[in-house]
């Protein structure tokens, strides 16, 4: 496990003006090169024959072939049981960020980072050769607490498939103290996941990286000492207790290329979501008669259920199978962006897509009804990314 020295979080890096200018000139050149490589790799992947990576059955994380609003390659996610928290404290899809600039909602501890364009998406890439440590700018005094979830996408380069001397690291830091064993060393190498939680205390399970030159999803949940971590739908960590108390989140992006490669390894992150809450859907429905979530995600302006949302849907299927006398109303809500009539229609289509996803797993259709309410019942009228996300929610009402 690499030795990470963590420092007190700072808002700015202090350099002399001339040194700073020279540094960021180099960083900008590096970032532009990486962004171009990233884009070239993506285009090459799209034009290559399917199956060239030898992992067709896994499915490209970006592929959204749909039928009835449901991704046709999500069957492998049927056992995924991650439930994201409901109270979003940080969400960054980089929509309003400027390409070529440092992401405005982040701070930096080491190395460098920059927003790059990846086809039609924006991503955060590291600009230093090793160790690019960034952390989200939380509100003053805000910490993770004792019940939270973290999600983000990571890019998996092809050189991590078979070469022991080539690797990508997405190390996760959950405590800002200067203690080495309070990190998660998370590596992608030799075609599998690798790493440790703590100072070699617990080895992360090795699972296949799946499709290469593609994006994959990381999910983390923490509940009063209990810690779980998923790579796509596969659980790679399940600890009943960790010895440290998380108070912040930072991520270190780095990569090492083998001598046989004459290009840098490509790595980056996107779609970062941090939320408080989580826990048992059954207990919340039993106590409140409903479960409300903004963790079921769709493509913008569409009703396609994203694969990483299957944790909630799979849990809801379990609840309905265990309580055969329950019926449920699914209510879709949108934010206030766009046309109200279009939003109303979209909210109903999304509720219908969720129903279809549940019915596809054996729940009778007559136990589920759907309603679309569009933007008629906003929780918040604020325009921040997090507040808009709260409005884009789904309610499961026990009836």
């Amino acid at each position: 496990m690499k030795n990470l020295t963590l420092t007190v979080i700072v808002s700015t890096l202090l350099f002399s003006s001339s040194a700073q200018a020279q540094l960021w000139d180099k960083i900008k050149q590096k970032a532009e090169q990486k962004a171009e490589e990233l884009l070239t790799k993506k285009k090459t992947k799209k034009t290559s024959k399917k199956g060239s990576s030898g992992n067709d059955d896994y499915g490209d994380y970006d592929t959204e072939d749909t039928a009835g609003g449901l991704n046709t390659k999500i069957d492998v996610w049927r056992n995924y049981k991650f439930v994201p928290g409901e109270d979003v404290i940080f969400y960054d899809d980089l929509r309003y960020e400027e390409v070529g600039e440092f992401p405005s909602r982040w701070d930096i501890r080491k190395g460098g980072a920059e927003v790059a364009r990846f086809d039609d998406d924006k991503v955060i890439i590291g600009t230093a050769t090793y160790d690019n440590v960034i952390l989200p700018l939380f509100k003053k005094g805000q910490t993770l607490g004792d019940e939270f979830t973290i999600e983000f996408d990571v890019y998996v380069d092809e050189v991590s498939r078979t070469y022991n001397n080539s690797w990508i690291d997405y190390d996760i830091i959950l405590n800002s103290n200067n203690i080495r064993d309070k990190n998660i060393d998370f590596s992608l190498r030799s075609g599998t996941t690798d790493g440790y939680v703590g100072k070699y205390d617990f080895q992360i399970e090795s699972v296949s990286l799946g499709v290469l030159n593609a994006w994959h999803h990381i999910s983390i949940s923490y509940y009063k000492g209990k810690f779980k971590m998923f790579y796509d739908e596969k659980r790679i960590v399940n600890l009943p207790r960790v010895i440290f108390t998380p108070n912040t989140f930072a991520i270190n992006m780095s990569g090492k290329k083998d001598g046989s490669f004459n290009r840098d390894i490509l790595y980056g992150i996107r779609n970062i979501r941090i939320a408080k809450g989580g826990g048992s859907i059954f207990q919340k429905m039993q106590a409140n008669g409903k479960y409300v979530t903004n963790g079921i995600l769709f493509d913008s302006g569409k009703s396609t259920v994203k694969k990483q949302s299957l944790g909630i849907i799979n849990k809801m299927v379990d609840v309905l199978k265990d309580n055969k006398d329950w019926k449920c109303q699914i209510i879709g809500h949108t934010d206030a962006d766009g046309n109200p009539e279009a939003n109303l229609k979209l909210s109903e289509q999304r509720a219908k897509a969720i129903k279809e996803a549940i019915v596809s797993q054996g729940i009778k259709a007559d136990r589920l009804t759907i309603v679309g309410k569009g933007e008629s019942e906003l929780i918040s009228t604020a325009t921040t990314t997090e507040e808009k996300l709260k409005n884009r929610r789904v309610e499961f009402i026990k009836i």
Side-chain angles (χ1 to χ4, degrees):
M1 181 174 179
K2 295 166 294 307
N3 186 13
L4 291 177
T5 302
L6 308 182
T7 59
V8 177
I9 300 173
V10 294
S11 299
T12 58
L13 297 177
L14 301 180
F15 300 102
S16 70
S17 58
S18 59
Q20 187 179 31
Q22 293 174 6
L23 172 65
W24 285 106
D25 282 344
K26 291 180 180 179
I27 287 176
K28 185 172 181 61
Q29 291 173 3
K30 183 77 170 178
E32 289 172 349
Q33 179 185 0
K34 273 182 174 280
E36 181 62 29
E37 288 173 344
L38 205 61
L39 181 59
T40 301
K41 292 286 291 183
K42 183 68 172 180
K43 288 180 177 177
T44 301
K45 176 176 175 291
K46 281 188 172 182
T47 56
S48 64
K49 290 184 178 180
K50 187 175 180 181
S52 60
S53 67
N55 293 293
D56 284 354
D57 56 330
Y58 200 84
D60 185 346
Y61 181 76
D62 279 333
T63 299
E64 295 295 349
D65 299 327
T66 60
L70 192 63
N71 190 300
T72 57
K73 296 183 179 180
I74 64 173
D75 281 352
V76 72
W77 290 65
R78 287 283 175 90
N79 295 320
Y80 181 60
K81 299 298 174 69
F82 173 83
V83 177
E86 302 88 24
D87 182 13
V88 179
I89 61 174
F90 183 86
Y91 179 75
D92 195 4
D93 60 5
L94 305 169
R95 181 178 303 180
Y96 303 109
E97 295 294 335
E98 184 177 348
V99 173
E101 298 295 334
F102 187 86
S104 64
R105 304 191 65 201
W106 295 77
D107 202 348
I108 189 167
R109 289 182 179 174
K110 189 175 182 182
E114 196 160 316
V115 178
R117 188 174 297 282
F118 190 96
D119 283 357
D120 294 329
D121 231 342
K122 294 178 183 177
V123 305
I124 300 175
I125 62 173
T127 56
T129 304
Y130 294 108
D131 294 344
N132 303 279
V133 183
I134 60 173
L135 64 161
L137 292 170
F138 288 160
K139 294 179 181 178
K140 185 176 181 180
Q142 192 172 58
T143 61
L144 291 173
D146 61 1
E147 185 177 354
F148 63 85
T149 60
I150 298 172
E151 299 175 82
F152 55 95
D153 301 336
V154 297
Y155 188 78
V156 181
D157 192 293
E158 65 179 347
V159 301
S160 61
R161 176 175 15 179
T162 58
Y163 302 95
N164 289 324
N165 292 328
S166 299
W167 43 258
I168 306 170
D169 278 356
Y170 292 105
D171 295 334
I172 298 161
I173 304 162
L174 294 174
N175 191 290
S176 60
N177 295 329
N178 245 350
I179 302 176
R180 183 185 177 200
D181 63 1
K182 295 186 178 180
N183 300 319
I184 299 162
D185 185 318
F186 178 57
S187 298
L188 311 177
R189 67 178 76 204
S190 301
T192 64
T193 57
D194 192 15
Y196 298 88
V197 178
K199 189 178 181 180
Y200 302 100
D201 293 334
F202 181 86
Q203 185 169 3
I204 290 173
E205 182 179 349
S206 294
V207 301
S208 171
L209 297 182
V211 169
L212 306 175
N213 300 330
W215 290 93
H216 295 269
H217 195 63
I218 303 300
S219 310
I220 293 169
S221 68
Y222 177 88
Y223 179 76
K224 298 180 180 178
K226 297 179 181 179
F227 181 85
K228 296 179 183 179
M229 182 173 175
F230 296 80
Y231 177 83
D232 285 338
E233 88 287 1
K234 300 173 184 178
R235 191 174 64 191
I236 56 177
V237 177
N238 185 18
L239 287 173
R241 185 178 67 89
V242 290
I243 61 174
F244 59 88
T245 301
N247 53 37
T248 192
F249 167 72
I251 186 165
N252 177 26
M253 299 178 288
S254 61
K256 178 183 181 299
K257 64 183 178 181
D258 183 80
S260 61
F261 292 94
N262 54 13
R263 66 164 178 83
D264 289 334
I265 289 177
L266 306 179
Y267 50 84
I269 62 172
R270 68 179 187 184
N271 295 332
I272 303 91
R273 182 186 190 274
I274 305 173
K276 293 189 176 184
S280 170
I281 292 176
F282 168 75
Q283 290 179 0
K284 291 177 181 179
M285 291 195 71
Q286 183 81 310
N288 306 317
K290 65 179 180 179
Y291 171 69
V292 183
T293 178
N294 49 44
I296 297 181
L297 305 178
F298 305 86
D299 289 339
S300 179
K302 299 180 181 180
S303 59
T304 305
V305 179
K306 288 183 175 290
K307 290 184 289 189
Q308 64 266 38
S309 304
L310 264 288
I312 296 172
I313 290 174
N314 293 339
K315 285 278 192 179
M316 186 59 64
V317 169
D318 289 343
V319 168
L320 292 172
K321 285 182 176 180
D322 291 340
N323 300 273
K324 299 185 184 302
D325 58 329
W326 284 17
K327 293 186 177 182
C328 186
Q329 184 178 66
I330 304 170
I331 304 176
H333 300 267
T334 69
D335 59 29
D337 289 349
N339 180 275
E341 292 182 0
N343 284 338
L344 182 63
K345 182 179 180 180
L346 179 62
S347 66
E348 184 175 354
Q349 291 172 338
R350 288 178 170 178
K352 181 181 178 182
I354 294 169
K355 176 181 177 178
E356 291 174 352
I358 294 174
V359 169
S360 72
Q361 297 196 44
I363 302 300
K364 292 183 177 180
D366 61 7
R367 295 178 62 187
L368 303 170
T369 57
I370 62 170
V371 175
K373 294 192 175 182
E375 58 186 78
S376 63
E377 296 183 4
L378 299 177
I379 292 177
S380 173
T381 57
T383 59
T384 66
T385 303
E386 289 78 14
E387 294 301 319
K388 285 185 178 181
L389 189 62
K390 291 178 182 179
N391 290 325
R392 300 194 296 269
R393 67 196 188 279
V394 176
E395 295 184 74
F396 295 91
I397 310 293
K398 178 184 171 185
I399 56 176

